[in-house]
Amino acid sequence: MTSTAREAQTAPSTSSQPLSLRRLPVHVAIIMDGNGRWAQARGLPRLAGHRAGTENLRHIIDASLDFGIKYLTVYAFSTENWARPKDEVEGLMNILEEVIDMEVPRLHEKGVRVRHIGALEGLRPELQRKIRESEALTRENQRMVLGVAFNYGGRAEIVHAVRRILAEGLRPEEVDEARFAQYLYTAGMPDPDLVIRTSGEQRISNFLLWQAAYAEWYFTPVYWPDFDREELRKALEEYSRRERRFGRVPNPKP
Ligand code: IPE
Ligand code: IPE
Ligand code: MG
C-alpha cells in the first residue's frame, strides 16, 4: 500500500472533507448554550466562557463550510438575555462588536453572507451600524449564509411581522403561511432542518418558534465551548439517520 493510500484509509475523522452522508441538512441552527457553566467549571468568570464560546464559533463556521452546510444560524443573544447582570450584557455587546471587526472580513473572503436575525432597535448605535455594514458587505456571497440571532426572540419576531403586515394594509386573504414568513427576520431562508442545543438543556428558549415547526432536534450535554467539529459531525450523522415525515405516513401502500 502506498503511503498516500494508507493515509486515505486512516485519515483522521477531523479531516476537512465534505461529509458523504445519506442526507445533509440544508439549514442547521444552533442554540449555543453552556458558556457560563463551562467557565464556572474552570473557576473563570462567565465572560471568559463567552469568549471561549466565540472562539469555538469560528471553528464551527469553518467545519460547516467544509461539510457543505448552506445555512447556519446561531443563537447568540436572546431578548430574554437582557435580564442578565449589566456587566455580562455589556460584555456580550462588546464581544459582538469585536467579532464583527475581526471576523467579518475573514468571512467575506470565504464567501459567507452574514445576516442579522433579530431586532436592531435596542442595540447601541455603533453596533447597529456595524451589523448593517457587515450585511451590506457580504450581501452577494453565495457559499453559506450565517444567520446571527442577536437580540432575537421568536415571539417578538412574530409580533414584529404582524405589525408590519398591518402597517402595509394587507387584506386578510392575502396573508398565508408563505407570505407571513416573508415578514420574519429569516425571510428568504429555508426553515432549519436541524436544531442543535448544547449544554444538556432541552427547551426552545424562544428560538425560531415559527421556523422550527418541523425541525429535527439534537440535544447534547456538551457545553458550547467544547462542541467541536467532531460533535457537529455526530449531530449531522444522527440527523442523516432520522426519518422525517411531515405528518405523512411513511411509504404508503398504493
Ligand atoms: C449561552 O451560554 C450564551 C448566551 C446565552 C449568551 P450561557 O451564558 O447561557 O451559559 P449557561 O447556560 O449559564 O451555562
Ligand atoms: C438561550 O440560552 C439563548 C442563547 C443561547 C443565546 P439561555 O441560556 O439564555 O436560555 P435559558 O435561560 O436557559 O432558557
Ligand atoms: Mg444558558
Side-chain angles (χ1 to χ4, degrees):
M1 199 192 299
T2 67
S3 70
T4 328
R6 195 174 315 119
E7 266 163 35
Q9 264 194 353
T10 57
S13 54
T14 50
S15 73
S16 59
Q17 297 300 308
L19 282 188
S20 54
L21 294 173
R22 192 163 61 91
R23 193 156 35 81
L24 199 64
V26 173
H27 185 174
V28 176
I30 308 182
I31 302 177
M32 308 185 292
D33 200 8
N35 293 348
R37 280 162 285 166
W38 182 92
Q40 195 180 22
R42 285 161 179 75
L44 297 168
R46 291 179 61 85
L47 274 173
H50 295 314
R51 295 212 169 269
T54 306
E55 178 65 23
N56 188 47
L57 177 57
R58 285 179 47 205
H59 301 306
I60 290 301
I61 293 170
D62 286 341
S64 303
L65 285 167
D66 291 340
F67 291 161
I69 303 298
K70 300 305 287 180
Y71 294 83
L72 175 69
T73 299
V74 293
Y75 204 6
F77 189 86
S78 75
T79 46
E80 287 69 36
N81 289 148
W82 290 107
R84 294 190 176 196
K86 197 166 161 284
D87 60 339
E88 183 170 345
V89 170
E90 210 172 290
L92 287 164
M93 298 296 145
N94 294 340
I95 288 175
L96 179 66
E97 208 167 313
E98 285 168 33
V99 165
I100 293 177
D101 291 341
M102 309 271 294
E103 301 300 326
V104 170
R106 197 181 136 267
L107 291 170
H108 183 44
E109 259 171 44
K110 294 188 179 200
V112 176
R113 176 176 178 185
V114 181
R115 274 186 66 167
H116 175 228
I117 308 296
L120 282 176
E121 308 85 71
L123 299 177
R124 58 197 189 208
E126 181 65 0
L127 194 49
Q128 293 192 23
R129 185 179 63 76
K130 287 187 178 179
I131 291 171
R132 277 203 215 93
E133 283 176 3
S134 354
E135 289 191 313
L137 174 73
T138 61
R139 170 151 272 125
E140 303 299 325
N141 293 344
Q142 301 280 338
R143 193 165 161 211
M144 183 173 88
V145 174
L146 174 67
V148 182
F150 195 95
N151 195 19
Y152 175 85
R155 287 184 170 183
E157 177 184 42
I158 290 168
V159 170
H160 175 78
V162 171
R163 284 187 174 171
R164 281 181 56 209
I165 287 170
L166 293 173
E168 288 183 17
L170 262 71
R171 293 190 309 276
E173 58 275 19
E174 288 180 297
V175 182
D176 59 13
E177 292 183 10
R179 189 76 185 267
F180 187 79
Q182 290 170 7
Y183 288 83
L184 298 172
Y185 298 123
T186 50
M189 291 168 75
D191 285 342
D193 302 293
L194 171 67
V195 184
I196 297 170
R197 184 168 189 153
T198 58
S199 88
E201 308 303 338
Q202 303 192 1
R203 55 178 168 265
I204 196 162
S205 299
N206 207 10
F207 188 46
L208 302 180
L209 295 182
W210 171 279
Q211 299 88 338
Y214 254 105
E216 296 294 324
W217 283 79
Y218 179 86
F219 298 106
T220 168
V222 175
Y223 294 148
W224 172 248
D226 292 328
F227 185 88
D228 59 12
R229 177 182 287 258
E230 279 318 293
E231 295 296 333
L232 177 61
R233 180 192 297 271
K234 277 193 237 167
L236 297 174
E237 281 168 353
E238 161 78 25
Y239 172 84
S240 80
R241 289 190 292 269
R242 300 266 179 96
E243 182 192 37
R244 302 185 78 184
R245 292 190 186 170
F246 301 101
R248 301 188 187 102
V249 172
N251 307 316
K253 294 201 177 68

